[in-house]
Amino acid sequence: MPESGDHQHSPLIHLVDDDQAVRDSLALLISTVGLRVQSWADPVLFAAQFDRQSIGAIVLDVRMPGVSGLALLAQLMEQGVDQPVILLTGHGTVDMCRRAFKGGAAEFLEKPVDDEVLLEALQTAVRQHVRLRARTQADRAAQEYYAQLSPREREVLALIVQGLTNKEIGRALDVSPRTVETHRANLFAKLQAPSLAWLIRRYAPLTEL
């Protein structure tokens, strides 16, 4: 159950640790900066049931019965979970730290963790996740708009992205500059492009597929 917070739209921190005292103290700390907390004693249950759509971050203890934090991190990465993961350990080593970052951890902190360090790491992780979700949503919208273009409009777009003028595009496609201008106006409207620079930045990757 959620440990704290009534703000259903505020970021959610999943706290996974088999030690109840640690869960309680960290949940209380995290809630002081306005973040919701959901605590999990069982890492297997967490992996099966946690809300993958929520904005936030995951805090994992490295040493837990059944499955280690590093093993759970690997499982989450394989499943494409995008919430940043912060690992906590009371017995950190250089090799463990290296494995954590190589495995995709956003941060690796040793217990007893400094309150301010943990909160700063969490707030940084949440900001990163917000940006990632916004970028993913924008990319999805771009693909949907791109799918609305006709084959000819896609050809014109690809040449616009390459920097060709209307005359050059006309010669390349064997059509008049006026026809190119019509296609150009149509694709700008369909893609809801406010400027040429925005169009190139947003759609250049799709024209290369």
Side-chain angles (χ1 to χ4, degrees), residues 13-169:
I13 306 302
H14 293 281
L15 179 58
V16 190
D17 196 307
D18 61 302
D19 187 323
Q20 183 171 349
V22 171
R23 292 199 308 275
D24 290 346
S25 63
L26 289 182
L28 181 61
L29 171 67
I30 294 168
S31 68
T32 63
V33 291
L35 297 171
R36 291 183 295 143
V37 183
Q38 187 164 8
S39 293
W40 304 81
D42 183 344
V44 176
L45 191 64
F46 158 75
Q49 297 185 359
F50 86 97
D51 181 8
R52 284 163 164 73
Q53 299 307 312
S54 62
I55 293 290
I58 299 167
V59 178
L60 295 181
D61 185 37
V62 169
R63 297 181 186 274
M64 292 181 288
V67 58
S68 72
L70 285 172
L72 183 53
L73 171 66
Q75 179 182 332
L76 296 175
M77 294 300 105
E78 287 174 5
Q79 294 174 355
V81 170
D82 65 357
Q83 283 96 338
V85 177
I86 296 173
L87 287 174
L88 302 181
T89 180
H91 309 279
T93 64
V94 172
D95 180 62
M96 186 183 295
C97 181
R98 180 188 61 79
R99 288 170 58 199
F101 285 118
K102 188 175 181 180
E107 189 58 90
F108 182 87
L109 302 174
E110 289 192 61
K111 296 178 180 177
V113 62
D114 179 89
D115 291 356
E116 292 302 319
V117 170
L118 176 60
L119 291 177
E120 182 177 348
L122 279 171
Q123 290 172 318
T124 297
V126 167
R127 286 193 294 269
Q128 290 174 343
H129 195 220
V130 168
R131 287 196 294 268
L132 173 63
R133 284 287 176 90
R135 190 162 59 246
T136 300
Q137 185 174 1
D139 290 344
R140 190 176 299 119
Q143 290 171 355
E144 291 173 356
Y145 290 140
Y146 183 75
Q148 298 174 15
L149 298 182
S150 69
R152 177 63 86 185
E153 288 166 350
R154 293 184 188 185
E155 290 178 326
V156 172
L157 174 61
L159 296 174
I160 289 174
V161 166
Q162 292 175 29
L164 274 65
T165 65
N166 286 351
K167 286 185 178 180
E168 291 169 334
I169 294 173

